[in-house]
Amino acid sequence: MTQETPQQDSAATAADNTSDHSGKVDLPAKVRVRFCPSPTGTPHVGMVRTALFNWAEARHTKGTFVFRIEDTDAARDSQESYEQIIEALRWLGLDWDEGIEVGGPDGPYRQSERTQIYKDVAAKLLEAGYAYESYSTSEEIEARNLAAGRPKAFGYDGYDRTLSEEQKQAFRDEGRKPALRIRMPEDDVAFDDLIRGEIVFKAGSVPDYVIVRPNGDPLYTLTNPVDDALMRINVVLRGEDLLSSTPRQIVLYRALIELGVAKEMPLFGHMPYVMGEGKKKLSKRDPESNLFLHRENGFIPEGLLNYLALLGWSIGPDRDVFSMQELAEHFDIRDVKANPAHFDIDKAIAINAEHIRLLDPADFLRRSIAYLHRDGTVSAPTWDDLTDRERTILEAAAPLIQPRVRLLGEVSGMAGSLLSTAEYIEPEPDARKQLKATAAEVLEKAIAALDEVPEDEWHGDSLHELLSKVLVEDGGYKPRLAFGPIRVAVSGRRVSPPLFESMEIIGKAVTLARLRGLQNNL
């Protein structure tokens, strides 16, 4: 169970998670969910998984997906991060119904533009007695804890709850400014989590908490529930790391309902941690967490989102690959498991490879161009701006390459030798190691045989037949020893597109030149 202060030890208990919906809360008739990141860094896979599950729940229930930005931390928030979050959702195809850049009835959708709303609500909470002024400094709180025999970091002790007006005035006369704290109830705070079942926070386990700093700045503990209330969010889906704040939000919601600010208590669902190496929570600073690094390596949105959906959820037994449409058709937040999910990069890549194979060949090529251009393999970043020769070669190569790459970042390695006009390609180290003592004589026999092939008969099937007869049947070489040196000469790689189709694409002259080039550089 997530802990925030020592007072929360053993504070919350959760029922075992089950795979069906028995005993779980019914969802509202019209679901309204939200995604509300803070613009404090590069988008990471945990953030995307949160957005994805909210999007999928909204699409499954034909509900509303609201996207807002929580940017009240001026010291950490940045415009660059804000723009990256927008870019991430656009690239992934996670569209939203209300919020940033699309508008809606409850704007503005950036917290930095809603300051007066929070001030007004805080004033109402104070006036009604749900909040109170707190003048204690952190040093004074620690000193009182030590004096009472408690650990220094035990947390706030409720000292200011019963301050008289004279005591408050004395603090004001000292020049102190009060924080505002919410009065926590003296009974348990319980709720039915959509993923974890019943969760109970014991009375006294959560101290009175600050909603407004002494300088007047509102905190997340106020702004987040107020925005949810005013935007009529009725299903809150978020990470397990925020579970410890839920009793605070519930207590505040009770007050907001009494004040007429909120209409109803939302349902809560807390998604499992995403774990990285060594069974540790995947940090946003881990390379595997960086969304744009995955894009740079050649993940496509369909593959990455498919994999992220598996971090806590499944579409069915023994089925890992599905479309976003199928995700929307089948997703139910109540089917998500509470157990931590492990981010397995190898499995993510394997699923991405499946989605690459499902692409229309023309779509595959167009998506690949940016990577080919980045790697200097083609002359332009878009399909239409390529040369006629480049387009012709890529169209011929697509059926050979598409089934063999797992990431779009691998296309350049496969296509580079086909697009190159070089008459010699220096073999990659692992390819050169594969060359055996027989490589020179194999190349000699291959060159002699291929030299006799007319240009109009230079086709993959006939080349395969010819070299099989010359090298395997007549020469007595095993296929690996017969064709390995030719593959290395043609592509410079140990693994390449199909050899004989590659030879057809690059043509007779370049093929023979590369065979001779390797022969001269053994």
Side-chain angles (χ1 to χ4, degrees):
M1 187 58 62
T2 304
Q3 297 178 12
E4 188 167 277
T5 70
Q7 288 179 303
Q8 290 176 273
D9 289 349
S10 305
T13 58
D16 291 339
N17 191 51
T18 57
S19 59
D20 61 26
H21 303 156
S22 59
K24 294 191 176 182
V25 181
D26 291 334
L27 296 175
K30 294 183 178 180
V31 167
R32 288 181 63 85
V33 295
R34 50 48 165 192
F35 174 56
C36 50
S38 298
T40 57
T42 302
H44 54 87
V45 296
M47 173 191 292
V48 173
R49 200 268 307 261
T50 297
L52 174 63
F53 280 11
N54 277 280
W55 177 90
E57 190 63 50
R59 297 296 170 256
H60 176 70
T61 60
K62 296 179 171 57
T64 302
F65 181 36
V66 180
F67 173 29
R68 69 172 188 256
I69 291 288
E70 301 197 338
D71 60 345
T72 55
D73 189 344
R76 299 177 63 226
D77 298 334
S78 74
Q79 182 66 18
E80 179 185 13
S81 178
Y82 167 79
E83 292 171 356
Q84 287 180 339
I85 294 170
I86 301 287
E87 179 186 350
L89 265 64
R90 297 288 193 202
W91 174 65
L92 292 166
L94 298 179
D95 59 327
W96 56 97
D97 306 300
E98 299 174 13
I100 294 296
E101 296 196 353
V102 303
D106 304 310
Y109 292 94
R110 293 185 70 158
Q111 284 187 342
S112 57
E113 299 172 5
R114 297 171 64 84
T115 304
Q116 191 57 49
I117 294 172
Y118 309 132
K119 287 183 178 179
D120 293 344
V121 173
K124 291 179 181 179
L125 291 166
L126 180 61
E127 182 180 2
Y130 297 110
Y132 62 90
E133 294 180 344
S134 174
Y135 293 87
S136 295
T137 65
S138 58
E139 293 79 11
E140 289 170 340
I141 294 169
E142 291 174 354
R144 289 198 299 266
N145 285 333
L146 289 175
R150 298 186 295 261
K152 183 173 69 170
F154 188 75
Y156 180 66
D157 56 359
Y159 175 84
D160 302 88
R161 264 185 172 228
T162 57
L163 289 178
S164 66
E165 188 57 37
E166 289 76 13
Q167 289 173 307
K168 294 177 186 177
Q169 188 58 51
F171 284 128
R172 294 182 193 121
D173 292 342
E174 293 177 13
R176 295 199 194 190
K177 301 288 185 182
L180 294 189
R181 291 184 184 270
I182 290 292
R183 297 180 188 273
M184 291 297 291
E186 296 180 0
D187 51 6
D188 296 347
V189 178
F191 68 100
D192 286 318
D193 192 281
L194 292 168
I195 295 172
R196 301 161 189 278
E198 184 183 27
I199 295 181
V200 179
F201 286 80
K202 296 298 184 182
S205 64
V206 181
D208 295 350
Y209 63 94
V210 176
I211 58 171
V212 178
R213 290 192 178 99
N215 65 2
D217 288 346
L219 294 175
Y220 166 87
T221 47
L222 175 68
T223 60
N224 181 271
V226 167
D227 285 348
D228 283 348
L230 295 177
M231 295 177 188
R232 306 178 311 287
I233 303 302
N234 52 22
V235 178
V236 173
L237 307 179
R238 56 191 192 171
E240 181 181 353
D241 54 314
L242 294 172
L243 180 54
S244 64
S245 71
T246 305
R248 300 170 178 175
Q249 298 212 345
I250 289 173
V251 169
L252 181 56
Y253 245 98
R254 291 172 184 170
L256 296 177
I257 291 170
E258 290 291 330
L259 292 172
V261 175
K263 293 183 178 180
E264 60 182 332
M265 183 74 67
L267 302 175
F268 292 89
H270 292 87
M271 293 171 275
Y273 284 121
V274 178
M275 312 300 285
E277 294 288 336
K279 297 183 179 180
K280 294 181 180 179
K281 181 185 173 186
L282 189 66
S283 166
K284 65 174 65 177
R285 285 171 285 278
D286 292 336
E288 288 184 355
S289 183
N290 187 320
L291 174 70
F292 291 146
L293 182 59
H294 291 307
R295 182 176 67 175
E296 181 181 329
N297 289 337
F299 273 89
I300 62 175
E302 298 93 329
L304 185 57
L305 289 174
N306 182 163
Y307 179 69
L308 293 180
L310 295 172
L311 298 179
W313 181 82
S314 65
I315 197 168
D318 303 318
R319 185 181 174 200
D320 286 338
V321 179
F322 46 84
S323 68
M324 290 295 287
Q325 180 179 349
E326 290 175 305
L327 171 63
E329 289 173 359
H330 293 278
F331 186 83
D332 190 311
I333 191 62
R334 295 169 296 180
D335 292 332
V336 173
K337 303 297 183 184
N339 297 331
H342 178 254
F343 188 90
D344 182 341
I345 188 63
D346 292 331
K347 184 172 182 179
I349 291 173
I351 287 175
N352 193 70
E354 293 289 340
H355 280 278
I356 286 178
R357 287 191 276 273
L358 291 170
L359 295 177
D360 178 82
D363 187 20
F364 165 72
L365 284 178
R366 280 163 175 76
R367 295 194 196 202
S368 300
I369 298 305
Y371 296 88
L372 290 165
H373 185 256
R374 176 195 71 183
D375 298 335
T377 308
V378 296
S379 60
T382 64
W383 176 262
D384 291 341
D385 292 330
L386 297 181
T387 65
D388 290 342
R389 174 183 174 274
E390 288 170 332
R391 284 197 292 267
T392 299
I393 290 175
L394 287 173
E395 285 173 341
L400 313 179
I401 296 172
Q402 187 173 354
R404 290 169 173 80
V405 297
R406 306 169 303 158
L407 301 162
L408 294 184
E410 297 173 347
V411 174
S412 293
M414 287 286 186
S417 62
L418 304 178
L419 288 159
S420 171
T421 58
E423 295 186 350
Y424 170 67
I425 297 178
E426 174 62 32
E428 295 179 357
D430 64 337
R432 185 172 282 281
K433 285 181 180 179
Q434 191 184 38
L435 298 173
K436 305 303 180 184
T438 55
E441 58 194 58
V442 164
L443 290 170
E444 183 69 32
K445 292 178 184 292
I447 291 168
L450 292 172
D451 213 13
E452 300 299 319
V453 178
E455 289 279 0
D456 59 357
E457 295 180 15
W458 191 265
H459 303 297
D461 290 342
S462 59
L463 296 175
H464 189 183
E465 183 178 347
L466 172 64
L467 290 178
S468 293
K469 183 178 188 310
V470 170
L471 299 175
V472 179
E473 295 178 25
D474 297 344
Y477 300 102
K478 293 180 180 180
R480 180 172 59 84
L481 295 176
F483 303 136
I486 301 174
R487 181 183 305 280
V488 173
V490 168
S491 69
R493 293 166 55 92
R494 183 177 59 84
V495 178
S496 72
L499 174 59
F500 303 104
E501 289 87 342
S502 297
M503 292 167 64
E504 178 180 344
I505 289 173
I506 66 176
K508 178 179 178 178
V510 173
T511 298
L512 286 170
R514 289 183 183 176
L515 293 176
R516 292 186 175 105
L518 180 60
Q519 185 184 39
N520 295 331
N521 286 276
L522 286 175

